[in-house]
Amino acid sequence: MNKISLLALPLLGLLVLFGQGACTPHPQPPLAIGINTWPGYAPLWLAGESLDDIHMVQYPSTSDVIKDFQGEILDAAAVTLDEALKLAASGMDIDIVLPLDVSHGADGLVAKDTIHELAELKGKRIGVENTALGAYLLGRSLEKAGLKTNDVIIVPLEIPDHPKAWANGAIDAAITFEPQLSQLRAANGRILLDTRDLPNEVIDVLVVRRDAVREHRDALERLSASWHQIIANLDSQPSLTLPAIATASGYSTDALRLAYSGLTFPNRSNAEMMLAGPMSPLCSSLRGMAAIMVGQGLLPHHPGRLPFPCHEGRDAR
């Protein structure tokens, strides 16, 4: 036994004698939240990094976030509604606790400028990230084009790899989002469809495992308050708030400004309305999306239990 452990024995004996050793609570680990490299999640990074009971983790792709969320390495994840549906269909018991943003042009399909309309994608190579959102937007694009999946060549590509594949001619089109969407458009691209054509279909939310909601309720309330304050500041003081978000997230201010021109961030009152029970706008979007995804074969079946707050028979949290 070393010297330090010998000196510690008398103190340990006193703690046990007075019952302190058995009664001292273990500190609760912080709530671990995973996000991918999407500018819409950057305010969440800023909101979480100042809180001691929140641990923010950034991943290169959504698939990595979902893998660790399903593996319970993460307690929470920033995902799109379609991804939340897939998680629910897989059997995960999750709650939607915060609407983050609504895409209004920040996600879309961009093609080489020699392609003028969606129907001309037949036989073309389309870069798509292997995520529920990628598959959903591809399916909606092909639906509007009157094409089937086997009418095009799908090239699995993570979002950060889109510009390189575009430059070396490996793809003719891409399902992507800002800032890559504008980068590809500037490099002889043409946007054939974006989320302005799919209103209220691409919505980002923060989902949390239901057991973690119970364990980290105070942390989630502080995170929500911090998030809404940042969104309020972004609206009232963009010249001060954008640089702060850029510094925290690693994006440039210009990249954020470009991405946010195609996004709507719900303020506190709108967020509360979106979460106001099974008949809320968010839940209406979720149910409509579930029907589309089942029809496209993106879900094997309708989730038996939608995430909170959209399940009518759900018990109180």
Side-chain angles (χ1 to χ4, degrees), residues 16-310:
V16 173
L17 179 64
F18 288 102
Q20 298 302 313
C23 297
T24 303
H26 293 289
Q28 187 180 51
L31 178 81
I33 301 176
I35 65 173
N36 72 353
T37 53
W38 159 241
Y41 299 153
L44 187 64
W45 186 275
L46 179 61
E49 72 163 4
S50 62
L51 301 174
D52 292 337
D53 45 8
I54 298 291
H55 175 51
M56 303 297 299
V57 187
Q58 189 173 64
Y59 292 79
S61 70
T62 303
S63 55
D64 292 325
V65 174
I66 290 175
K67 178 182 176 182
D68 280 1
F69 185 49
Q70 290 179 313
E72 298 192 5
I73 294 171
L74 297 169
D75 302 302
V79 299
T80 49
L81 277 190
D82 48 292
E83 290 156 352
L85 278 169
K86 291 201 75 172
L87 289 167
S90 75
M92 285 195 74
D93 196 7
I94 56 174
D95 286 359
I96 296 174
V97 300
L98 192 64
L100 299 174
D101 60 67
V102 181
S103 182
H104 187 70
D107 304 73
L109 185 149
V110 58
K112 296 296 177 103
D113 59 8
T114 54
I115 301 172
H116 296 86
E117 56 185 40
L118 288 170
E120 294 176 25
L121 290 170
K122 187 172 184 177
K124 298 297 191 294
R125 300 159 299 172
I126 305 177
V128 185
E129 188 173 35
N130 187 26
T131 63
L133 178 61
Y136 180 80
L137 288 177
L138 176 65
R140 294 291 277 138
S141 299
L142 295 178
E143 179 184 292
K144 288 182 175 291
L147 300 174
K148 302 294 184 183
T149 304
N150 58 8
D151 288 327
V152 298
I153 301 167
I154 298 173
V155 182
L157 279 175
E158 292 190 357
I159 297 293
D161 297 328
H162 286 181
K164 181 178 179 181
W166 182 274
N168 64 27
I171 55 176
D172 306 298
I175 299 286
T176 194
F177 53 68
E178 296 292 4
Q180 286 83 358
L181 185 63
S182 289
Q183 291 172 7
L184 300 187
R185 180 177 58 182
N188 300 315
R190 185 192 309 275
I191 295 177
L192 300 182
L193 175 141
D194 64 31
T195 43
R196 286 173 293 189
D197 304 304
L198 307 170
N200 295 318
E201 292 191 29
V202 178
I203 301 174
D204 286 292
V205 294
L206 181 66
V207 296
V208 186
R209 292 197 327 270
R210 200 173 190 221
D211 61 318
V213 171
R214 291 190 293 266
E215 295 169 5
H216 297 273
R217 190 176 303 277
D218 291 345
L220 286 167
E221 289 177 357
R222 282 189 286 272
L223 178 68
S224 177
S226 179
W227 163 268
H228 286 304
Q229 185 60 61
I230 290 168
I231 297 308
N233 292 344
L234 187 60
D235 183 55
S236 63
Q237 300 175 308
S239 61
L240 295 177
T241 309
L242 269 177
I245 297 173
T247 299
S249 65
Y251 287 101
S252 70
T253 302
D254 288 342
L256 292 177
R257 185 177 293 108
L258 176 64
Y260 294 173
S261 67
L263 290 176
T264 299
F265 293 102
N267 59 27
R268 185 184 296 274
S269 61
N270 287 336
E272 290 173 353
M273 180 180 66
M274 291 175 75
L275 291 174
M279 302 311 295
S280 66
L282 182 72
C283 296
S284 295
S285 293
L286 204 60
R287 282 190 289 270
M289 178 168 286
I292 291 172
M293 291 179 71
V294 170
Q296 291 179 346
L298 298 176
L299 281 177
H301 54 80
H302 191 286
R305 181 181 291 271
L306 292 175
F308 176 89
C310 305

